[in-house]
Structures are given as C-alpha cells and as structure tokens.
C-alpha cells in the first residue's frame, strides 16, 4: 500500500513568518499604502500571493493585487540575495520526523503557496531536496484551499485519497485536504489557531512536532 504524507511549508516545515511579513510590508510601502499589522499578514500565510492580497485589500482592483504580488516577489528576492533576511529555520524536530516517516515507508510531498524557486531554495538550504517525491506550488496551481495541489501530488505519487494525509498549519490546508478526500492533520505550531484548524475540518491537531508520526498511523 502506498502511503503519502504531504506537508505545507511555511508554518509547518519552516518558520518563515518574519520574512513573509517584511516582504509584504515592502510591497505595501511601494504601493504607498499603510502596511497591515503582522497579525493580519500571518493570517493569510498559505494563500497564493494574489489571493493573499485580495484578503488584505478586499476593495482594491485585481490589477493592483497582481502588481503588489509582483512587488512582493521582487522584495522577497532582493532581501534574500542582499542577506537582509532572517534565517527560515526548520521547526525543531521536523528533520527527525521526515526521517522517521521515510523509514516507516511513507512517501513525502509538499503542497505550498510558495513559488517553485522559493520552495527549491528552502529545501536545498536544509538538505531536504531529495526527501520528497512530489512538490506542488502556487506557480502551477490555483491557491489553496482549491484541492488542485493535493490532487496532483496524489496522482504523481500514485496514492489514493484514503492513503494520503495533508499536514498543515492553516485552515486552508484543512479545507483543501477535505476537498481532495484526504486526511487532514493540523499542526499547532504554525500561524492559525487550533480552533481555525478544527473549523476547517482537521481530523486531529498535533500539539508538538514529535507527535506527528503516531497521528499518521
């Protein structure tokens, strides 16, 4: 039997909130708009950029959302290449969990609102590029919670919904999992509250990283 565990990236594998907030603040600065509070920015982590900006600026035109999304990407790349960004560390214990799941025979994947380039950078930086059999990003799919990313991951890995678990820190991940027919595993160390995860359809919520393998059995 094929067993597939698909991870979200930001807020699940890595703690990237400082860099996401800083790049979003720069995008708002370029648009000559006051930046939203960081609590609001963290709430949209997991969405693709245009959808995230639609949530932050619901009254703005679509073209403005697209322009600010491009400014965000430029700011993120500029900050990263200049060395101005903070490290995006793996959450404590994630590397060990990935090792454990592989040893137990799980196939692993990622479904993220990041770009291909952003995800590749993170995985290479942490030495995880060869751990995942399927990588799905915002470059090739509609934004979460549309199930497109997860459906593609299952097809690429040869797994059925019943054999698949989606692991994420936001309600968007949970709704996506349910829409794809997969198990929804929330994590409590990310950017949405446990109540958001439960309301999004989480079958269970891991309160710590080390608890994940047992919840997947």
């Amino acid at each position: 039997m094929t067993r597939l565990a698909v991870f979200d990236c930001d807020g699940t594998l890595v703690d990237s909130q400082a860099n996401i907030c800083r790049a979003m603040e720069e995008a708002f600065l370029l648009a000559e708009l006051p930046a939203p509070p960081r609590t609001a920015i963290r709430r949209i982590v997991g969405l693709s950029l245009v959808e995230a900006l639609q949530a932050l600026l619901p009254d703005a035109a679509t073209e403005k959302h697209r322009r600010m999304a491009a400014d965000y990407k430029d700011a993120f790349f500029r900050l990263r290449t200049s060395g101005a960004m903070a490290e995006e560390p793996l959450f404590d214990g994630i590397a060990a969990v990935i090792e454990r799941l592989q040893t137990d025979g799980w196939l692993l994947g990622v479904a993220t609102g990041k770009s291909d380039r952003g995800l590749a950078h993170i995985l290479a930086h942490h030495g995880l590029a060869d751990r995942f059999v399927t990588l799905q990003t915002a470059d090739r799919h509609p934004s979460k919670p549309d199930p497109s990313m997860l459906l593609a991951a299952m097809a690429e890995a040869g797994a059925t919904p019943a054999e698949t678990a989606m692991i994420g820190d936001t309600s968007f991940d949970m709704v996506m999992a349910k829409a794809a027919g997969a198990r929804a595993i929330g994590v409590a160390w990310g950017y949405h509250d446990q109540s958001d995860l439960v309301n999004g359809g989480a079958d269970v919520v891991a309160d710590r990283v080390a608890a994940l393998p047992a919840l997947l059995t």
Side-chain angles (χ1 to χ4, degrees), residues 55-210:
L56 291 172
L57 289 172
D59 297 328
T62 299
E63 181 53 38
K64 189 172 191 67
H65 295 142
R66 290 174 178 161
R67 185 167 60 252
M68 291 181 69
D71 287 341
Y72 173 98
K73 289 181 179 180
D74 290 343
F76 203 102
F77 183 73
R78 184 176 65 255
L79 290 166
R80 172 174 284 157
T81 54
S82 70
M85 281 197 156
E87 182 185 355
E88 294 177 307
L90 291 175
F91 286 102
D92 288 345
I94 283 291
V97 165
I98 289 171
E99 181 73 30
R100 166 76 180 277
L101 292 177
Q102 282 198 309
T103 299
D104 288 348
W106 285 82
L107 297 179
L108 304 180
V110 177
T112 177
K114 279 187 176 298
S115 65
D116 287 333
R117 182 174 66 181
L119 179 59
H121 175 88
I122 286 291
L123 296 182
H125 177 72
H126 291 294
L128 298 176
D130 62 344
R131 298 286 188 165
F132 300 97
V133 300
T134 180
L135 301 173
Q136 307 300 327
T137 75
D139 285 346
R140 287 167 282 115
H141 296 283
S143 177
K144 298 175 183 179
D146 189 288
S148 175
M149 287 186 197
L150 193 50
L151 293 173
M154 291 189 288
E156 194 167 329
T160 67
E163 297 166 334
T164 301
M166 178 67 211
I167 303 162
D169 69 302
T170 71
S171 59
F172 314 126
D173 297 306
M174 304 300 99
V175 175
M176 177 176 68
K178 289 303 177 182
R183 194 168 181 219
I185 310 293
V187 302
W189 52 85
Y191 306 143
H192 279 194
D193 294 335
Q194 184 165 335
S195 60
D196 296 320
L197 298 171
V198 172
N199 290 337
D203 294 300
V204 66
V205 177
D207 61 352
R208 63 192 191 284
V209 173

